[in-house]
Amino acid sequence: MLGKGVVGGGGGTKAPKPSFVSYVRPEEIHTNEKEVTEKEVTLHLLPGEQLLCEASTVLKYVQEDSCQHGVYGRLVCTDFKIAFLGDDESALDNDETQFKNKVIGENDITLHCVDQIYGVFDEKKKPLFGQLKKYPEKLIIHCKDLRVFHFCLRYTKEEEVKRIVSGIIHHTQAPKLLKRLFLFSYATAAQNNTATDPKNHTVMFDTLKDWCWELERTKGNMKYKAVCVNEDYKVCERLPAYFVVPTPLAEEDVQCFQGRGIPIWCWSCHNGSALLKMSALPKEQDDGILQIQKSFLDGIYKTIHRPPYEIVKTEDLSGNFLSLQEIQTAYSKFKQLFLIDNSTEFWDTDIKWFSLLESSSWLDIIRRCLKKAIEITECMEAQNMNVLLLEENASDLCCLISSLVQVMMDPHCRTRIGFQSLVQKEWVMGGHCFLDRCNHLRQSDKEEVPVFLLFLDCVWQLVHQHPPAFEFTETYLTVLSDSLYIPIFSTFFFNSPHQKDTNVGRESQDTQSKPLNLLSVWDWSVQFEPKAQTLLKNPLYVEKPKLDKGQRKGVRSKHQRQLSLPLTQSKSSPKRGFFREETDHLIKNLLGKRISKLINSSDELQDNFREFYDSWHSKPTDYHGLLLPHIEGPEIRVWAQRYLRWIPEAQILGGGTVATMSKLLEMMEEVQSLQEKIEERHHSQEAPQAEPPCLLRNSARLSSLFPFALLQRHSSKPVLPTSGWKALGDEEDLAKREDEFVDLGDV
């Protein structure tokens, strides 16, 4: 007899042929069982969320070789998500589902998270676009968080199939208007219920006070100033209302070319060197305008390059580094390694997985980004030089490299609040086009480039190599990457602060209408309960020791690691002008390739980099000082938790880093318990503190990809490190052995 609402390869008995598929309609299953299932199925809608279309009698299943197992339920599409409502919670208990997202369920897909939709026609898989003449018997949805959903529509009524398939295709692929995003529907409906977490101290950089605070924190207020010349966005819509420029720079200069060609301050080092960025001037053909641009840039250059006191080095990220096309192409190849439709496909591609990984070039791009950040760090830390990053709009690779440099050099950016403030400063206020780069409006696939995901992957490399240096965990980075596609948070859904302020009503002439109060992604209480949020904080983080007054007097301002670094003699500036006298076609780009002649020769740069890099790694690590990653070939790893978390075959049951973490947490709990007992003897009248929640008990039942892997059903196929597993023994035999192991582990 079939289980409640579940269809299997042979029902309760073993099928004589592995290719058997049950065609028993759910109407033929016992009525009382069906009624129970319907009572358990409830569609939970967020404020402002509306149901658009639905289909009943849909089978959601996973395909393992020739056998199909799944759960019947309803497939619905709202203006926020695609959701499957079925009875599939039998394998999970309360402990295993403690990391549930309160906004997005296990079987929910936000419309923005849909990557590709495929239909199966006569066992052939084809991508679905626009209006369909024929509707598929099976729907496959590939998600941007790399989940893969399979829905069988064979038992669904034809009219419902047409409605649900057409609805999903339209609402996930058709171009949208910004105001029609669910973000605004939710904000309007939840206007009185959008309180933020009072414990969230992330600096939003939307006030002049925030920028002044950052200048004071980094000791950059001696050479740089916060300006409000763009307070009403009349100068430039790309720039934030407030930003920081060199003190000698006149505010009139900022207005000359709408904020272009202006050195914008990013961060100041402890030794006085600074990281700056600059966008390109408008391309012109007229010789007179070109001469004006030359004179303007020459004057700007003199404000930041004043040898021997201040030397500036430029990094042209538009011409001498990565292109957005390279990033887009590499990730398109890379993600295909993880969008696995079934177990057979996994094992068939296993033998060539490393060659496919290498051919994608994604890990090489990560290595190049980290190397570039180390080169800039060497200039600032060892050579005491200012670094000016150049890019067409200074809103993509400038955001990426400047953020990586700060994570490496500033321990504050390795705390959770500091990291969130960094993202706000360099990405949100820095004008990164999240709306276009994530393709939220589905208007141009060419503009969709995962620059922010590349940054998170680079940070993960550092977290993986130096865990005690970060207050947050890889789980934090993973859920942050997922939050890119949850349209109830405004953080990642605009191209600029101006676009956000314009569309939420803050610049509206209508004084009677209140501006919308949009949620920030940094309020993690919206997505996770307090118990689940503990997985975002690193228990191994080494907090900076507090020094008393006597100790502070003897402390030098430089990093401990810097004391042993080789210092390279800073070279004086070339005596020639900022540009050559002649004007040729190069000036029409950024005028930046002319600036690049200030850079030292590549051979000298390579020598300085290698000496700096090797010297740092030869010394013990100071987790509150400079932090450099290993960038040799095998040191750059695949971010397994994010990319492999939905593939059961890639999981190690009861193993991996989660097992080590579990033991460490047990030891920490034991130490804390002993400390509390000691304190109780001195303060016997005080109430005992509540025991902190532990989410890693019984690590034998956890997966190496915890906490996400628990939401998936484990494959019945043996997990072996090679695709040649079939040659090692009988398939059914091995499956039985694993089942026996799992049964014993669950006892």
Side-chain angles (χ1 to χ4, degrees):
M1 177 177 161
L2 297 177
K4 180 179 63 176
V6 179
V7 173
T13 61
K14 188 173 180 180
K17 294 182 180 180
S19 60
F20 176 77
V21 179
S22 174
Y23 289 92
V24 178
R25 297 180 62 85
E27 291 88 347
E28 299 174 32
I29 301 175
H30 291 292
T31 307
N32 60 338
E33 292 181 349
K34 184 179 177 183
E35 289 175 353
V36 172
T37 302
E38 289 179 347
K39 290 179 181 178
E40 294 178 354
V41 175
T42 304
L43 176 61
H44 299 283
L45 298 176
L46 294 177
E49 184 178 4
Q50 296 181 350
L51 177 64
L52 301 176
C53 53
E54 65 177 306
S56 57
T57 326
V58 175
L59 176 64
K60 173 184 175 287
Y61 65 94
V62 292
Q63 184 175 338
E64 299 177 354
D65 289 339
S66 301
C67 298
Q68 296 177 357
H69 305 271
V71 178
Y72 274 113
R74 280 194 299 152
L75 184 62
V76 303
C77 180
T78 73
D79 55 352
F80 169 62
K81 65 178 181 285
I82 301 166
F84 177 77
L85 310 173
D87 180 27
D88 54 354
E89 300 177 354
S90 57
L92 303 176
D93 56 35
N94 292 333
D95 288 337
E96 292 178 327
T97 58
Q98 55 200 343
F99 196 65
K100 280 186 175 180
N101 191 307
K102 296 194 294 184
V103 178
I104 301 297
E106 174 187 352
N107 292 319
D108 294 346
I109 314 166
T110 66
L111 300 182
H112 296 279
C113 192
V114 175
D115 190 14
Q116 293 288 338
I117 301 175
Y118 298 91
V120 176
F121 303 86
D122 300 325
E123 304 302 324
K124 293 183 179 180
K125 175 181 166 185
K126 298 179 181 179
L128 301 181
F129 301 101
Q131 289 292 116
L132 300 180
K133 296 181 180 179
K134 182 181 179 182
Y135 289 86
E137 60 188 34
K138 178 181 175 184
L139 196 65
I140 302 176
I141 300 178
H142 286 185
C143 304
K144 293 183 179 181
D145 61 4
L146 305 181
R147 289 180 296 169
V148 177
F149 287 87
H150 299 257
F151 299 107
C152 179
L153 307 175
R154 186 176 298 154
Y155 314 117
T156 310
K157 294 179 181 179
E158 184 178 353
E159 297 78 10
E160 293 184 357
V161 170
K162 291 181 179 179
R163 280 199 300 268
I164 194 66
V165 173
S166 299
I168 289 176
I169 291 175
H170 174 75
H171 293 290
T172 59
Q173 295 182 356
K176 299 178 179 63
L177 297 174
L178 178 59
K179 281 284 193 177
R180 298 298 300 271
L181 293 182
F182 180 73
L183 175 72
F184 296 96
S185 301
Y186 178 82
T188 303
Q191 189 75 333
N192 298 323
N193 191 28
T194 55
T196 57
D197 184 2
K199 296 181 181 179
N200 180 20
H201 303 295
T202 302
V203 182
M204 305 303 287
F205 291 98
D206 54 358
T207 66
L208 190 65
K209 182 179 179 182
D210 289 345
W211 289 99
C212 293
W213 177 87
E214 180 72 355
L215 276 172
E216 185 176 353
R217 185 188 71 82
T218 60
K219 305 296 187 292
N221 49 358
M222 299 297 293
K223 300 178 182 179
Y224 300 90
K225 63 181 179 181
V227 294
C228 54
V229 65
N230 197 42
E231 196 166 20
D232 53 2
Y233 299 108
K234 289 184 178 179
V235 174
C236 178
E237 294 181 356
R238 294 181 303 101
L239 294 174
Y242 313 99
F243 51 92
V244 176
V245 296
T247 301
L249 189 69
E251 292 192 2
E252 294 77 16
D253 291 335
V254 179
Q255 306 176 34
C256 286
F257 293 99
Q258 297 181 329
R260 292 185 176 273
I262 296 298
I264 305 294
W265 176 86
C266 298
W267 181 77
S268 288
C269 183
H270 59 87
N271 59 16
S273 62
L275 184 62
L276 308 165
K277 63 182 178 182
M278 180 189 289
S279 57
L281 289 176
K283 295 180 180 180
E284 296 289 347
Q285 301 289 339
D286 185 82
D287 289 341
I289 297 179
L290 287 175
Q291 191 62 39
I292 294 174
Q293 290 183 346
K294 284 171 54 183
S295 301
F296 174 77
L297 286 176
D298 195 32
I300 294 297
Y301 172 68
K302 290 177 181 178
T303 67
I304 58 177
H305 183 72
R306 294 176 292 176
Y309 306 105
E310 287 194 69
I311 311 295
V312 68
K313 178 196 172 190
T314 61
E315 283 285 351
D316 182 8
L317 301 180
S318 290
N320 302 328
F321 191 47
L322 286 170
S323 69
L324 296 181
Q325 180 63 45
E326 285 181 84
I327 298 173
Q328 183 187 56
T329 302
Y331 186 71
S332 295
K333 294 179 180 178
F334 178 73
K335 70 181 180 181
Q336 296 304 319
L337 299 175
F338 311 100
L339 292 168
I340 304 296
D341 281 342
N342 53 62
S343 181
T344 301
E345 182 181 344
F346 175 87
W347 293 108
D348 286 346
T349 58
D350 181 55
I351 195 169
K352 54 184 178 180
W353 196 83
F354 284 108
S355 60
L356 293 172
L357 177 63
E358 184 178 3
S359 65
S360 74
S361 300
W362 180 252
L363 296 185
D364 184 60
I365 285 177
I366 293 173
R367 180 182 296 104
R368 290 166 65 183
C369 291
L370 293 172
K371 186 174 185 292
K372 179 62 68 177
I374 296 173
E375 290 174 356
I376 293 171
T377 299
E378 188 270 335
C379 291
M380 298 179 66
E381 182 81 15
Q383 300 189 48
N384 198 17
M385 297 173 66
N386 294 334
V387 177
L388 178 64
L389 304 177
L390 305 172
E391 193 183 11
E392 182 66 27
N393 291 314
S395 60
D396 286 303
L397 298 176
C398 276
C399 300
L400 170 64
I401 298 301
S402 64
S403 298
L404 283 178
V405 170
Q406 292 175 63
V407 170
M408 291 180 187
M409 299 188 72
D410 190 347
H412 174 69
C413 296
R414 301 195 286 266
T415 64
R416 196 165 88 175
I417 295 300
F419 183 78
Q420 294 174 175
S421 301
L422 172 68
V423 173
Q424 279 292 138
K425 180 180 69 170
E426 296 298 331
W427 294 85
V428 179
M429 291 298 161
H432 181 65
C433 300
F434 283 105
L435 194 67
D436 293 340
R437 294 292 175 253
C438 297
N439 200 15
H440 288 316
L441 298 182
R442 303 286 181 175
Q443 293 182 350
S444 175
D445 292 340
K446 294 181 180 179
E447 295 291 326
E448 184 173 2
V449 185
V451 183
F452 186 68
L453 178 60
L454 175 59
F455 165 65
L456 295 182
D457 207 331
C458 290
V459 173
W460 178 85
Q461 304 293 333
L462 283 159
V463 171
H464 177 72
Q465 294 181 21
H466 306 288
F470 292 86
E471 189 184 23
F472 50 86
T473 62
E474 67 168 341
T475 302
Y476 169 87
L477 295 175
T478 301
V479 297
L480 181 57
S481 71
D482 292 342
S483 301
L484 283 168
Y485 311 108
I486 303 180
I488 66 170
F489 305 110
S490 63
T491 311
F492 304 130
F493 274 81
F494 293 100
N495 283 337
S496 66
H498 168 263
Q499 186 184 51
K500 177 182 177 181
D501 290 348
T502 302
N503 285 279
V504 300
R506 292 178 183 174
E507 291 188 345
S508 175
Q509 301 298 323
D510 185 4
T511 57
Q512 294 182 352
S513 61
K514 292 183 179 180
L516 295 177
N517 185 20
L518 303 179
L519 287 175
S520 168
V521 74
W522 312 125
D523 186 359
W524 294 107
S525 63
V526 176
Q527 294 192 65
F528 302 105
E529 297 291 350
K531 189 176 182 181
Q533 290 184 54
T534 59
L535 289 174
L536 308 182
K537 185 174 182 181
N538 182 14
L540 304 182
Y541 174 64
V542 178
E543 294 189 13
K544 190 173 183 179
K546 296 181 180 179
L547 303 178
D548 56 33
K549 294 181 180 179
Q551 288 176 303
R552 287 197 186 99
K553 293 181 180 179
V555 175
R556 298 180 64 178
S557 61
K558 295 184 178 182
H559 298 306
Q560 293 181 14
R561 183 64 66 87
Q562 187 204 6
L563 302 180
S564 61
L565 291 176
L567 297 179
T568 305
Q569 184 72 25
S570 297
K571 298 203 167 185
S572 59
S573 171
K575 294 184 179 180
R576 46 193 168 180
F578 190 41
F579 296 103
R580 297 172 185 169
E581 292 300 323
E582 69 272 21
T583 58
D584 57 17
H585 69 281
L586 292 178
I587 201 171
K588 291 186 293 183
N589 295 329
L590 176 62
L591 297 177
K593 294 193 176 181
R594 296 294 188 83
I595 299 174
S596 64
K597 70 180 183 178
L598 298 173
I599 303 176
N600 295 333
S601 67
S602 58
D603 292 340
E604 181 181 354
L605 182 65
Q606 185 64 31
D607 292 341
N608 291 342
F609 168 81
R610 177 49 62 181
E611 188 178 5
F612 177 79
Y613 178 83
D614 291 342
S615 177
W616 190 91
H617 283 291
S618 66
K619 302 294 189 299
T621 304
D622 174 16
Y623 293 120
H624 295 286
L626 183 64
L627 195 71
L628 300 184
H630 290 279
I631 58 173
E632 293 81 5
E635 298 295 341
I636 304 299
R637 309 285 184 87
V638 173
W639 183 1
Q641 188 192 68
R642 184 185 193 275
Y643 299 123
L644 292 169
R645 55 184 159 157
W646 313 119
I647 305 176
E649 292 80 8
Q651 301 170 18
I652 306 172
L653 299 179
T657 56
V658 69
T660 305
M661 183 70 71
S662 177
K663 295 298 180 184
L664 288 171
L665 289 179
E666 287 178 10
M667 292 175 61
M668 292 175 66
E669 281 190 340
E670 186 176 352
V671 170
Q672 183 175 354
S673 177
L674 291 172
Q675 288 177 339
E676 290 176 355
K677 289 180 180 179
I678 293 174
E679 291 177 359
E680 284 179 7
R681 292 186 178 183
H682 298 286
H683 308 283
S684 57
Q685 296 181 351
E686 293 184 5
Q689 296 181 354
E691 182 181 356
C694 179
L695 282 77
L696 294 180
R697 299 187 189 278
N698 192 10
S699 61
R701 299 190 65 189
L702 301 180
S703 161
S704 58
L705 303 181
F706 176 84
F708 302 98
L710 285 170
L711 301 180
Q712 300 298 302
R713 300 181 184 277
H714 299 300
S715 170
S716 61
K717 186 152 299 194
V719 181
L720 298 177
T722 174
S723 60
W725 63 273
K726 291 183 179 179
L728 298 179
D730 181 72
E731 176 182 350
E732 297 180 4
D733 224 15
L734 290 171
K736 285 181 182 177
R737 292 180 196 174
E738 191 196 35
D739 289 340
E740 290 173 2
F741 171 78
V742 173
D743 290 339
L744 289 173
D746 289 343
V747 174

